[in-house]
Amino acid sequence: FSLAIWPLPSMRVLSCAVHVLAVAAENVTSACPPTIYSGADSGSEFCFCQLAENPGCAGLACSCSEGCNVGVRHTDTVTFPNFHTASGCSASTALLTIPRNYYSDIADLRVWCPDAWQSLLVEMLIDGFNTFQSEVAAGPVQQCIHGASFVSTKWLHLHTFCVGGKVDGMPIGLPFAHCETMTQVSEAAALAAKFAVIAEAGPAQI
């Protein structure tokens, strides 16, 4: 596992970027209770834990090969570049958005946050979309989530990449993943509801 090198902007620029992103997502902040990572202190999940600044890995030396000061941090999520780039389009940078809380996959999110899991998905979709617009290219994006039985890194993550492109074998249908196209932030809630098809199946049925 590896991350593309994408350092955080300077404090002044970062403050502006976070402010802009927060304005779009301020009304959809999730109400999921805190969930703390308790897995191994190595590997890709541990790296994701550190990028998410989850309490389960607080104070430990950074294990990510490109460092832990990468990406854009939002209220409940973090967005950073996928080491794998998208093929089939000029804007080849692909992004990953992860929650700060620990969930191994989308089915796990639904179990541990039954009342607000779609609200967190809305945040993830918006944060991934807005970061793509500001850091990669303007325009519609594809957004995909793996089925629970087909997750390589067991920390819930949303893929955001160019329309018409491919990354990590996606877009692809069930049971491997579910993908949607977002053209504007106002679509996020409707799109989050569509991901229920993969969340509600759960790992036993996928």
Side-chain angles (χ1 to χ4, degrees):
F1 168 78
S2 182
L3 300 175
I5 298 174
W6 186 16
L8 284 169
S10 67
M11 290 303 294
R12 180 180 179 184
V13 175
L14 176 61
S15 297
C16 293
V18 170
H19 173 71
V20 171
L21 294 169
V23 168
E26 61 183 358
N27 295 322
V28 293
T29 300
S30 74
C32 293
T35 52
I36 299 175
Y37 175 76
S38 59
D41 58 358
S42 62
S44 56
E45 289 82 12
F46 187 63
C47 174
F48 276 29
C49 177
Q50 294 180 308
L51 293 173
E53 298 179 331
N54 185 279
C57 51
L60 299 176
C62 180
S63 68
C64 302
S65 57
E66 284 80 16
C68 293
N69 193 34
V70 296
V72 177
R73 290 174 171 82
H74 319 282
T75 302
D76 294 315
T77 76
V78 179
T79 299
F80 51 89
N82 189 345
F83 181 72
H84 300 130
T85 57
S87 61
C89 50
S90 58
S92 61
T93 298
L95 304 180
L96 297 174
T97 299
I98 61 174
R100 292 180 178 271
N101 277 345
Y102 173 66
Y103 309 102
S104 60
D105 51 60
I106 191 169
D108 193 49
L109 166 63
R110 188 169 179 264
V111 169
W112 290 103
C113 187
D115 298 326
W117 68 272
Q118 285 195 33
S119 294
L120 181 57
L121 280 186
V122 169
E123 280 192 85
M124 293 174 68
L125 290 163
I126 290 174
D127 292 343
F129 178 86
N130 280 343
T131 304
F132 195 91
Q133 306 304 304
S134 64
E135 304 294 339
V136 183
V141 299
Q142 293 183 98
Q143 295 183 294
C144 301
I145 294 178
H146 293 286
S149 294
F150 300 92
V151 178
S152 57
T153 298
K154 294 189 180 300
W155 192 295
L156 174 63
H157 52 282
L158 170 76
H159 293 259
T160 300
F161 54 102
C162 54
V163 171
K166 291 184 176 294
V167 64
D168 293 341
M170 296 176 289
I172 190 172
L174 294 171
F176 304 101
H178 182 75
C179 300
E180 295 289 344
T181 299
M182 179 185 281
T183 60
Q184 54 189 0
V185 166
S186 61
E187 299 168 343
L191 295 180
K194 293 184 178 181
F195 280 97
V197 68
I198 202 166
E200 293 174 355
Q205 299 175 39
I206 290 177

